[in-house]
Amino acid sequence: MNRLLVTGGAGFIGANFVQNAVRTNRVTVLDALTYAGDRRSLETVADDIEFVHGDIGDAELVDRLVKQSDTVVHFAAESHVDNSLGDPAPFIRTNVVGTFNLLEAVRRYDVRLHHISTDEVFGALSLDTESRFTEETRYDPSSPYSASKASSDHLVRAWSRSYGIAATISNCANNYGPYQHVEKLIPRHITSVLTGVRPKVYGTGANVREWTHVDDHNAAVQLILDNGRLGDTYLIGSGQERSNKQVTESILRLLGQPADAYDQVADRPGHDLRYATDSTKLRTELGWSPQYVDFESGLADTITWYREHRPWWEAAKIATEERYADS
C-alpha cells in the first residue's frame, strides 16, 4: 500500500480526505492540533491511521515522517483571514516556513508532494464581470493569510523547477461540509441559528464566493495525485457562486427562520469582492466534475450534520464568539 503522509489531517478538509484515503493507503496524519484541528474528526478511522501530534515547523520531525512516506498531501495551514489580520506571525511560520521544511524533506528523499492552496492568492474579481481565475492568473493577495499561501505556492514551484521535486498544486474555491470549524461563514451562521443567535454579515453581504463541497474538493485532489502532470497547477471549483447575503438567507430559510433575521456589521479590511475559478483544465484533462451540483441540497446536508453533532462544535462555538466579542 502507498505510504501517505497527510499534514493537517485533523483539520476540516484534511480529516474528510483521510476518511477516504485509508481505504487504499497506509496513512500517517501529522497535525499540531491548534484550535482548528480536532482529533474527534478522525474517530471513525482512528484504528486505521498513525497519528502524530506535531508541527510542520519542526524540521526534524518532518524529515523523519517524510523519509517513511511515498506521498505527502499538504493540507496543514493557518487559514482564517480574520485571524491573520489580528496576528500574521503564525501564518508565516506555518504556511511559509512549514512548507519550506516539507519541500526540503521531499527533495531529500524523492517523495511525491501535493500542495493544497486557495483561490485567494489571486486577489479579487469585480462583481460586474463574468471573468474567473485561471491557472495563469497573476497573484495579487489581499490579506496576510493569502500572501502567506501565495508564498508557499511560489516555493513549491521553485523547488519543482530548481530541484525537480515531484509536485503538484491545487487552488480551491471556498469549501463547505462536515467538520468545518465554526469560525468559518457557513458553520458559524448555522451554529448561531441553532443556538438562538442572529447571524452577523460583513458590510452589505454583497461579497461573492464560489462554494465547493469538501467531498468534491477531495475527489479532485485524489485525481491530481493519481493522474496530474508533475509541476502543474489545477484549479478546483464547482462553479456555484453565491453572495454572503444569499448564503446567509439560504441557511436561515433551511432552518425555518425569516430570511432577513441577520445583522450587518462593519466590513473587515481588505475584504475581497468576488472569487471564482475556471476549473476547465481539471475537468477536461482529469475528468473531474462535482457531485454536489445543487448548492442548496449540499447546504441542507451540512446543516443536518451540525444539528446532529452538537457536542463536536459547542465548545469551539463559545470560544469563537468570545474571541470575536473581544476583537
Side-chain angles (χ1 to χ4, degrees):
M1 296 181 74
N2 185 47
R3 298 173 301 172
L4 187 66
L5 174 63
V6 181
T7 71
F12 163 45
I13 306 177
N16 280 281
F17 179 83
V18 167
Q19 290 177 25
N20 287 313
V22 295
R23 300 172 184 172
T24 54
N25 301 274
R26 196 170 78 202
V27 178
T28 299
V29 170
L30 172 62
D31 200 292
L33 295 180
T34 62
Y35 75 96
D38 194 329
R39 285 195 69 170
R40 295 176 301 167
S41 303
L42 297 170
E43 282 181 347
T44 60
V45 293
D47 294 336
D48 303 312
I49 65 172
E50 176 188 1
F51 184 87
V52 179
H53 182 193
D55 194 325
I56 58 172
D58 183 341
E60 290 186 5
L61 175 62
V62 166
D63 182 272
R64 176 171 64 83
L65 294 177
V66 171
K67 185 178 181 179
Q68 300 169 357
S69 305
D70 301 309
T71 304
V72 177
V73 186
H74 180 29
F75 289 98
E78 293 284 348
S79 66
H80 194 46
V81 172
D82 287 352
N83 293 344
S84 78
L85 294 168
D87 182 9
F91 292 76
I92 303 304
R93 287 194 299 268
T94 298
N95 299 352
V96 181
V97 177
T99 300
F100 165 74
N101 289 338
L102 280 166
L103 287 168
E104 284 293 86
V106 300
R107 174 164 79 100
R108 199 171 292 122
Y109 301 114
D110 193 23
V111 171
R112 169 82 163 91
L113 171 71
H114 181 68
H115 174 64
I116 309 294
S117 191
T118 171
D119 59 359
E120 295 190 41
V121 298
F122 302 117
L125 296 166
S126 172
L127 293 176
D128 59 1
T129 179
E130 294 184 0
S131 61
R132 294 175 172 271
F133 301 134
T134 73
E135 287 81 5
E136 306 305 319
T137 299
R138 181 177 69 90
Y139 276 35
D140 187 24
S142 304
S143 69
Y145 159 60
S146 55
S148 68
K149 289 299 290 184
S151 299
S152 68
D153 290 7
H154 289 319
L155 288 173
V156 174
R157 288 196 183 91
W159 261 243
S160 176
R161 294 170 186 171
S162 295
Y163 302 117
I165 67 166
T168 45
I169 299 172
S170 58
N171 299 84
C172 189
N174 283 46
N175 277 215
Y176 71 100
Y179 299 107
Q180 188 172 28
H181 192 277
V182 293
E183 69 185 359
K184 301 294 188 177
L185 185 145
I186 285 179
R188 190 179 182 204
H189 284 357
I190 292 170
T191 55
S192 288
V193 177
L194 291 177
T195 53
V197 176
R198 288 168 65 91
K200 296 176 175 61
V201 174
Y202 283 129
T204 63
N207 306 71
V208 172
R209 301 292 182 260
E210 179 183 16
W211 292 98
T212 302
H213 194 279
V214 65
D215 290 348
D216 286 330
H217 178 195
N218 285 332
V221 169
Q222 190 60 57
L223 279 173
I224 297 167
L225 283 168
D226 292 341
N227 302 310
R229 288 185 294 182
L230 296 180
D232 273 19
T233 296
Y234 296 86
L235 267 56
I236 305 172
S238 67
Q240 300 182 60
E241 296 183 49
R242 298 289 190 284
S243 71
N244 290 347
K245 180 175 182 289
Q246 289 173 316
V247 172
T248 305
E249 291 174 346
S250 292
I251 290 170
L252 286 163
R253 282 196 303 269
L254 288 167
L255 284 167
Q257 301 294 313
D260 61 353
Y262 63 89
D263 297 321
Q264 293 173 271
V265 297
D267 209 351
R268 72 185 181 200
H271 196 178
D272 290 335
L273 286 176
R274 175 175 169 256
Y275 305 143
T277 64
D278 182 346
S279 56
T280 298
K281 178 179 177 179
L282 178 68
R283 294 170 187 252
T284 56
E285 290 189 9
L286 302 184
W288 178 83
S289 61
Q291 299 303 302
Y292 285 83
V293 295
D294 176 20
F295 174 72
E296 295 281 329
S297 175
L299 185 58
D301 289 347
T302 302
I303 288 171
T304 298
W305 189 90
Y306 280 92
R307 179 181 273 139
E308 294 178 350
H309 292 80
R310 193 169 182 131
W312 184 88
W313 55 262
E314 275 186 315
K317 177 67 172 176
I318 293 169
T320 297
E321 298 306 330
E322 288 178 348
R323 189 166 68 248
Y324 274 105
D326 291 340
S327 63

